[in-house]
Each structure stands twice: as structure tokens, then as C-alpha cells.
Amino acid sequence: MTALLRTNEPIVVPVALGDRAYDIVIGRGLLASLGARIKALRPGARTAIVTDETVARHHLAAAEASLAAAGIETARILVPPGESSKNVATFERVCEAIIAARIERGDLAIALGGGVIGDLAGFAASCVRRGIDFVQVPTSLLAQVDSSVGGKTGINSRHGKNLIGAFHQPALVIADTALLDTLDPREFRAGYAEVAKYGLLGDAAFFAWLESNWKDLFAGGAAREHAIAVCCRAKAGIVARDERETGERALLNLGHTFGHALEAGCGFSSRLLHGEAVALGMAMAFEFSARKGLASAADAQRAVAHLAAVGLPTHVSQVAGGVPGVDALMDLIAQDKKVKRGKLTFILVRGIGQAFIENNVDPAEVRAFLAERTAR
Ligand code: GLY
């Protein structure tokens, strides 16, 4: 395929949610226009940037300079990096800091960071003064293609991930693809699992395009903006049709049932990043679907081969320190997904780009599959 040419114009993907509609703006170098874009969105608004110490080192000065150039007052709220900041104590601290900064209705919180910051700041925005607007400025690949879009916000409970939260849509998403240049390569690769997910779940042509163009995407070529836009368009469509996940939105959980169990089994540690767990989970969802005769072995092999080609794990034996045994994994799967009348819900596939929701999976079949997988 001919190489994509980069244009100076950002790509704008609208999310059609009536009076809560918003744009996702995608392009290289957009952080410099943050102030101007916020001024155009909400003239006269004051802002508070919520970010973590790592992101702050790389990008806070540029964000603040852009806001200052547009004459926008801003406060900064820093939290420690990592999933452990998605807790009640940090949430309370962020809410109090937003209030102390005199951010009122009509003003804006800005989530500058990856998925943890987007979830935490978005949830704080949903609660402070019974809801203020917020802008997502995602700084990880995973956040640019998935978590910054769609309004899922929240923190973790001692009982599990994202169990305290709210649907609260951002007023604007600004995805500056140049911010991904400073990401740790492992972190970038893990985020790529969510990119591949959009091809694997509903867009076979996009998956084929990724097979040919992923290197340009990793290298920061024009393929990066194109891929992020394709993912955001897909997600925007799904969210517009099923904002509260009563149906179709669950397809975005492809790979997440096996993935969450493995992630939890590794203690949500750096042994297995979320995106790596999703890659492993998608490989398993394809192989499980092939084992059930729903998808061809060739399609399962093709999905696995691509994930492996970019360096993502596709077999549990690749997880440093190993994974829990079958009994522990089955317990984790039962916790992650509701068991209805003894059956499990999984996102399965009929082929590349053909995911569907299966509410009637027999736990015995899953157990047998896991036994095979963990024995090899
Ligand atoms: N990350 C899945 C969703 O937003 O529904």
C-alpha cells in the first residue's frame, strides 16, 4: 500500500451524543494549541490540570505555557504515577484541590496523562459541584485509542478494578500523537494491543492494514494518526449507539475476560501490563473460539501471529514469574464477569473482525481450555 502522507490539519472525530457531543482532535504537536482550543470551547473558563509526576516532567510546562499564551488561568494537581493512585484517598485529594483552585461550574478540569489520570480526573470532575466539565489530553497510546473516549471514569475498590465510578463524557479530547514519542517502548507496545483490538473485533480491513503498516505506526509516521483516528471513529460509533454498555459496547472487552484474570493473577504489577494482558486475552479468545469450532484455526493463527510480530505476549508461558493455576484463574474469571445460571459471558469471534457477545459459555469448557494452555 502507498505510504500515508502527513497533513498539517488535525483529524477531528465527532462523538455524537446529543447535548453531550464532543470532538476528538488527533494530530502531531497539538499540545501547543491546548490553550487556544480551550478558549474556543469555553471562553473565560479557568482550568485545573490533573496529572502525574512522570507526565508532568515531560509535558506539564508545555501545557501550562499554551494555556498562559491564551490568557487562561490554571492550577496544577499532581498525583503519584501508577494504578495505585486510583484510590479513594487520592480521589478525595484531587476533588479538594479542584475546589481549592476555585474551579466552578463553567470552568474545566484537564486530565493530562494516561488511563489512570483520565479515569481519576474524570471521576473527580463528575463529582465536584455535582459535575464540572473536563478535557482529556491523553498521553499514552492506550488512552488515545480507548480510555479517554467514551466517558468511563472511576477508581478501584478493595474488591476490584474500576468498581467505583461514573459515566461522565469529556467536553473535548486532544490526542497529540507526538506525546507518544517519550513513552517507554514496552508501554507503547502494550497500548498497541488496544489498537489491534479494533481490527480484531470489527474491522478486518483495518487489521490487514495494521499487518502491513504497524512499523510506521510505531516509528511515529503518518500511520500513527491514521490508526488512532480509525480506532476513535470505531469507538465513537459504538459509544454513540450504546453509551451505557447495555449491548454492543461490551465488544470493546474482547480479550479482557481472560486478560483481567491474568492481570489480577499477576497482582496488577509490572509483570503484566494491562495492554499485554489484553493481547494475551485476545490470543486466547481467538484460540478458544477456534477450539469451539466458531472461528477457523487459520484466523486464530493470524491474530496470534500479528500480536507476536509486534512483540506482545500471546502465551501464558511468556509472563515473567508464571501465572496462577487453573482453579485460581477460574475464580478470577467468575469474579470479573457475572455468572448467570452457571454460564459465563465472553466476547468470542467468528473470524478476524467478527466478534460477538456469547452469554452462554460453559465454565467446564473454559476450564479445559485453560488446562491445555497452562500445561504447554
Ligand atoms: N474500554 C472499554 C470501554 O470504554 O467500553
Side-chain angles (χ1 to χ4, degrees):
M1 160 176 180
T2 331
L4 288 170
L5 289 180
R6 177 169 273 136
T7 66
N8 289 329
E9 280 307 300
I11 303 168
V12 179
V13 177
V15 184
L17 281 169
D19 59 1
R20 290 170 299 113
Y22 56 95
D23 285 339
I24 308 161
V25 191
I26 302 155
R28 208 172 172 78
L30 288 183
L31 190 59
S33 67
L34 176 69
R37 289 178 193 280
I38 285 187
K39 195 172 177 177
L41 176 77
R42 195 65 48 85
R46 304 168 76 243
T47 61
I49 299 177
V50 183
T51 190
D52 71 43
E53 287 144 9
T54 308
V55 174
R57 261 199 310 282
H58 291 292
H59 307 303
L60 183 57
E64 287 178 338
S66 174
L67 292 167
I72 297 171
E73 259 184 72
T74 192
R76 51 161 77 168
I77 301 166
L78 265 68
V79 303
E83 187 73 23
S84 56
S85 278
K86 277 176 62 172
N87 62 28
V88 175
T90 312
F91 164 73
E92 181 188 1
R93 195 159 71 69
V94 171
C95 290
E96 293 290 359
I98 292 174
I99 296 163
R102 297 216 184 93
I103 300 299
E104 299 174 351
R105 291 246 181 104
D107 292 331
L108 291 164
I110 299 173
L112 173 69
V116 167
I117 289 296
D119 285 5
L120 176 68
F123 185 42
S126 79
C127 293
V128 166
R129 301 186 198 283
R130 298 204 179 89
I132 58 168
D133 284 344
F134 80 116
V135 172
Q136 288 269 21
V137 186
T139 59
S140 70
L141 180 58
L142 189 142
Q144 292 195 354
V145 297
D146 199 57
S147 60
S148 69
V149 175
K152 280 188 180 174
T153 72
I155 56 174
N156 301 329
S157 133
R158 72 169 65 92
H159 299 286
K161 211 170 147 80
N162 297 331
L163 292 182
I164 304 169
F167 284 96
H168 187 54
Q169 300 292 341
L172 176 68
V173 181
I174 298 177
D176 179 347
T177 59
L179 305 188
L180 308 182
D181 294 346
T182 55
L183 278 187
D184 171 69
R186 182 179 172 201
E187 193 67 45
F188 186 93
R189 203 166 39 241
Y192 180 81
E194 299 276 3
V195 176
K197 181 185 82 176
Y198 287 95
L200 290 171
L201 78 85
D203 190 342
F206 179 53
F207 185 75
W209 181 87
L210 287 172
E211 288 177 309
S212 308
N213 292 279
W214 67 270
K215 286 187 182 153
D216 188 45
L217 191 163
F218 274 62
R224 187 181 285 179
E225 282 91 85
H226 174 74
I228 292 170
V230 171
C231 298
C232 287
R233 268 186 216 111
K235 182 150 187 185
I238 290 173
V239 167
R241 292 187 292 273
D242 179 24
E243 184 183 5
R244 299 280 169 142
E245 198 172 308
T246 54
E248 183 187 3
R249 186 163 178 172
L251 294 175
L252 296 171
N253 297 332
L254 175 64
H256 285 61
T257 303
F258 287 124
H260 273 165
L262 293 166
E263 203 184 351
C266 293
F268 297 104
S269 70
S270 59
R271 286 204 289 129
L272 189 64
L273 303 179
H274 174 71
E276 293 170 340
V278 169
L280 251 170
M282 290 193 297
M284 292 168 86
F286 266 80
E287 290 179 339
F288 184 59
S289 300
R291 188 183 190 275
K292 284 173 70 64
L294 295 164
S296 71
D299 271 2
Q301 276 157 17
R302 192 174 150 206
V304 170
H306 178 60
L307 296 169
V310 307
L312 284 163
T314 54
H315 193 276
V316 289
S317 60
Q318 293 165 287
V319 178
V323 297
V326 176
D327 287 343
L329 288 176
M330 286 304 294
D331 283 349
L332 290 164
I333 284 171
Q335 266 171 28
D336 185 61
K337 288 284 158 216
K338 287 185 281 306
V339 185
K340 275 197 202 133
R341 288 185 285 284
K343 301 287 184 182
L344 295 166
T345 295
F346 272 78
I347 309 304
L348 298 181
V349 290
R350 296 199 174 84
I352 304 274
Q354 295 175 63
F356 66 98
I357 302 162
E358 176 53 86
N359 292 311
N360 211 20
V361 177
D362 183 350
E365 258 188 286
V366 179
R367 175 178 285 279
F369 171 72
L370 286 174
E372 282 167 25
R373 294 286 299 193
T374 48
R376 273 192 270 153

